[in-house]
Amino acid sequence: MAKTIDYFFGIGSPWAYIGLEPFAALAARHEATIRPYVISLIEDNGAIYSRNRPEARRAYWTKDLKRWAALRGKVLNFENRSSLSDPTPAGMLVIAAIEKGADWLKLTGALQEAFWTRGEDIGKAEVRQAIADAAGLDATALEGFAQSAAAQSIWTSNIGIAKAAGVFGFPTFRFEDELYWGQDSLPFLERHLNGEKLVA
């Protein structure tokens, strides 16, 4: 039977970035289809932006993120970087790639690498369009759709689907109505794909 994994993520999430490649590899191993949903954090379900957390928790978050990045072979640049003006337009560009049948996984990885490794502001149109072009995609066509009412409708629908499913943070994976939050949950997702749910 064909397997489908719902993937809820945000472009501005470092956790989604460092977990993207292992997740894509996992899905490929199991010949599973990825159904992507680009969303914002769902605060109504309990998500808390890092900037709103106490300093002690933010300090630990940063250290733990660096540990996981090293484990995943990723370099995160926290110093000498531009701030992200707004990750939503970059997410809309990925929505456009999804809808146009373009390589949204490649674009997602390229946008996240540009921001988290090279410190580029992917909230700026000229920056993200250059990234899309470098990835071999038609940045002009994608940007045109990204700014459309249709793209906005998909964004709103994605958030509604995520909220109803109980999603709150990035990345979240859903398989057979079971949620797995965080890239560190990939081993549990893989066991489920193998037919070994740990909790009924």
Side-chain angles (χ1 to χ4, degrees):
M1 181 183 296
K3 299 174 181 178
T4 300
I5 304 168
D6 292 331
Y7 177 46
F8 300 91
F9 67 105
I11 302 304
S13 166
W15 297 106
Y17 169 45
I18 66 176
L20 182 64
E21 289 180 5
F23 169 54
L26 183 157
R29 285 197 304 274
H30 290 270
E31 299 180 342
T33 299
I34 300 173
R35 185 160 50 199
Y37 295 90
V38 183
I39 62 170
S40 61
L41 290 177
I42 311 296
E43 293 183 277
D44 287 350
N45 284 351
I48 303 173
Y49 283 91
S50 176
R51 63 179 177 271
N52 296 328
R53 294 171 182 164
E55 177 57 32
R57 185 171 176 184
R58 282 192 286 116
Y60 182 85
W61 177 88
T62 302
K63 183 171 288 188
D64 199 42
L65 183 55
K66 289 180 177 180
R67 291 189 190 114
W68 272 105
L71 191 66
R72 297 295 193 196
K74 296 294 183 184
V75 175
L76 298 180
N77 173 14
F78 289 98
E79 294 81 27
N80 300 316
R81 53 177 296 122
S82 60
S83 60
L84 178 59
S85 54
D86 182 3
T88 305
M92 301 299 282
L93 196 67
V94 174
I95 285 175
I98 294 166
E99 291 303 302
K100 295 296 183 181
D103 192 340
W104 66 270
L105 269 171
K106 184 177 183 180
L107 178 59
T108 296
L111 287 166
Q112 291 174 327
E113 181 179 25
F115 180 62
W116 285 109
T117 297
R118 299 197 301 274
E120 299 176 10
D121 185 358
I122 58 174
K124 295 181 178 178
E126 63 273 19
V127 173
R128 62 178 178 271
Q129 287 179 38
I131 293 166
D133 279 333
L137 306 179
D138 186 341
T140 301
L142 293 182
E143 189 68 32
F145 185 86
Q147 296 182 22
S148 69
Q152 185 61 51
S153 178
I154 292 167
W155 168 261
T156 301
S157 174
N158 285 355
I159 292 173
I161 290 169
K163 184 176 179 179
V167 172
F168 48 91
F170 308 135
T172 296
F173 316 96
R174 180 172 65 175
F175 179 59
E176 295 181 338
D177 291 327
E178 188 80 17
L179 296 179
Y180 298 94
W181 171 50
Q183 58 87 37
D184 54 338
S185 290
L186 287 174
F188 299 129
L189 172 61
E190 182 149 37
R191 292 189 68 158
H192 190 168
L193 288 164
N194 285 328
E196 306 172 35
K197 281 183 68 175
L198 294 178
V199 178

